[in-house]
Amino acid sequence: MSWQMGNQNKSLTSRTTEAFSALCLFLAVTYAGFSVIAFLFNEVVLEEMEQEDQEYDLFEEKVLQLQRQSSMRRQSSIASQASRGSTRIGSNISRHSFRKEEPASDDYQLESL
């Protein structure tokens, strides 16, 4: 009985080993095929990479221009608001800060609910 179990373990081990070897061989062939394709088309790949780099550089340049324009608009808007609003701020403070507000009556608060 133990002799039969030993044979079953050896056959299972040999099948596992053969499957692993076949997998390794398949991966080696796949990687070799990929490397041949990469070698044959290396110039095309390099040209595409250069073109993508140029497109990315143009995109970055446009983004920077838009950021500068936005920043300049924001600064000019703040400056114009500051020049217009400096007199308003003082007049609003004097007009609103010293006004006495009368407390609302309880009847009005209940009606509004």
Side-chain angles (χ1 to χ4, degrees):
M1 182 99 165
S2 66
W3 179 75
Q4 288 177 347
M5 296 237 354
N7 274 345
Q8 287 176 351
N9 285 340
K10 286 182 183 179
S11 66
L12 180 62
T13 305
S14 67
R15 279 189 276 156
T16 304
T17 305
E18 288 173 3
F20 182 71
S21 297
L23 177 66
C24 289
L25 183 63
F26 172 76
L27 289 175
V29 169
T30 303
Y31 291 148
F34 178 74
S35 64
V36 167
I37 290 172
F39 179 75
L40 293 175
F41 292 103
N42 67 357
E43 291 177 8
V44 174
V45 172
L46 291 174
E47 288 173 4
E48 287 180 5
M49 287 176 62
E50 284 182 27
Q51 184 180 7
E52 288 175 357
D53 285 345
Q54 290 173 355
E55 290 173 0
Y56 183 75
D57 290 344
L58 288 174
F59 175 75
E60 275 188 332
E61 186 176 322
K62 287 180 182 179
V63 168
L64 288 174
Q65 286 177 352
L66 289 173
Q67 286 176 345
R68 283 189 216 117
Q69 289 173 356
S70 174
S71 175
M72 292 171 83
R73 284 185 199 139
R74 196 176 314 119
Q75 288 174 353
S76 66
S77 173
I78 291 171
S80 66
Q81 287 176 356
S83 66
R84 283 184 284 156
S86 62
T87 57
R88 275 196 234 159
I89 291 171
S91 62
N92 287 342
I93 290 173
S94 63
R95 192 179 329 149
H96 295 293
S97 61
F98 299 111
R99 189 171 74 185
K100 293 182 181 178
E101 293 187 24
E102 304 212 7
S105 67
D106 292 333
D107 296 332
Y108 178 75
Q109 289 178 353
L110 291 175
E111 289 174 11
S112 64
L113 294 175

